[in-house]
Amino acid sequence: MKLEITIPTKLSEIKLSQYQAFLKIAKDNEDSEFLHQKMVQIFCGIDLKDVASIKRKDVNEITNNLGALFNTNHKFIPRFKLGGAEFGFIPNLDDMTQGEYVDLDTYITDWDEMHKAMAVLFRPITNKMGDRYTIEEYKGSLTYADVMKHAPLDVVLGAMVFFYHLGNELLKSTLTYLEENKKIMDIVNKHNSENAG
């Protein structure tokens, strides 16, 4: 039997829903042979019974190539096309609504819910001028959650890296602020103890 499969060569060829499906299986299984088979099944879009008919060396080569895709630097991608629409990342995080913030905070750390987090972060572009754009008003994560299941994985991982770096910068700023305030508090406490003593 001759089997033709399409092997993704870029993360943009893998959907978020495929990655979520693989993570769900990987979380509960430690058997590497089974995980290799599931990786080929899920990312190449073939039946598990067909994976069993592929030569072992070919399965190993496919899984090594797929694994290499995940071991690359993930760049932030602010805009992408999906289903005939162009989606854009929230242009200004400082202007995020309370609803957007609460939903994002709820979903961003759970890969099972990542499509909902992406529906908060990315919405259809309504106007654009050069590199600047506006996106559709937020109507809840469920509006585009199912659409975001088809989002390219490079976009999703790029957004995750963006938030990781943002969190690190916030942590550094907070530590610097606390360190500076500690010096001020030490001076105030020293001054107060001298006045009291």
Side-chain angles (χ1 to χ4, degrees):
M1 175 177 106
K2 190 171 185 175
L3 179 68
E4 286 189 29
I5 63 172
T6 303
I7 304 165
T9 57
K10 301 180 284 195
L11 285 177
S12 61
E13 298 170 351
I14 297 174
K15 297 176 187 177
L16 171 57
S17 60
Q18 291 173 299
Y19 190 61
Q20 288 173 310
F22 180 73
L23 289 179
K24 188 173 253 180
I25 290 166
K27 180 173 56 175
D28 297 328
N29 290 285
E30 294 180 14
D31 180 359
S32 64
E33 288 303 319
F34 177 71
L35 290 176
H36 283 189
Q37 291 178 42
K38 292 303 283 184
M39 183 182 270
V40 174
Q41 175 200 10
I42 292 168
F43 296 135
C44 298
I46 63 174
D47 288 333
L48 190 58
K49 66 178 175 41
D50 291 332
V51 176
S53 67
I54 300 173
K55 291 180 184 174
R56 179 175 167 73
K57 69 178 180 80
D58 292 337
V59 169
N60 287 337
E61 183 179 341
I62 292 168
T63 57
N64 286 338
N65 290 340
L66 288 170
L69 294 178
F70 295 100
N71 291 327
T72 59
N73 289 333
H74 308 296
K75 295 180 181 163
F76 176 62
I77 302 169
R79 300 182 336 198
F80 69 97
K81 291 191 177 182
L82 183 63
E86 186 174 15
F87 286 80
F89 189 81
I90 294 176
N92 187 345
L93 290 174
D94 290 335
D95 293 338
M96 186 182 288
T97 66
Q98 182 65 20
E100 288 170 313
Y101 176 81
V102 169
D103 286 350
L104 182 60
D105 190 52
T106 301
Y107 303 129
I108 196 77
T109 58
D110 183 357
W111 275 100
D112 289 339
E113 303 289 339
M114 191 57 67
H115 56 289
K116 294 177 185 175
M118 292 301 112
V120 176
L121 294 173
F122 291 93
R123 293 193 294 282
I125 293 175
T126 54
N127 291 310
K128 64 181 173 178
M129 189 174 201
D131 286 341
R132 301 183 72 95
Y133 59 86
T134 57
I135 58 175
E136 191 175 287
E137 187 177 312
Y138 188 63
K139 298 174 188 143
S141 62
L142 296 180
T143 306
Y144 291 104
D146 285 340
V147 173
M148 287 299 146
K149 289 179 181 180
H150 302 280
L153 193 55
D154 61 338
V155 171
V156 176
L157 293 177
M160 296 301 294
V161 168
F162 172 82
F163 276 102
Y164 172 78
H165 289 302
L166 185 66
N168 280 347
E169 289 302 314
L170 182 61
L171 181 61
K172 286 178 191 173
S173 296
T174 302
L175 291 174
T176 301
Y177 174 80
L178 290 173
E179 191 174 294
E180 289 172 0
N181 278 334
K182 183 181 181 312
K183 290 175 187 173
I184 293 170
M185 290 307 294
D186 288 345
I187 292 169
V188 169
N189 288 336
K190 182 178 178 186
H191 178 73
N192 286 342
S193 63
E194 287 174 356
N195 286 342

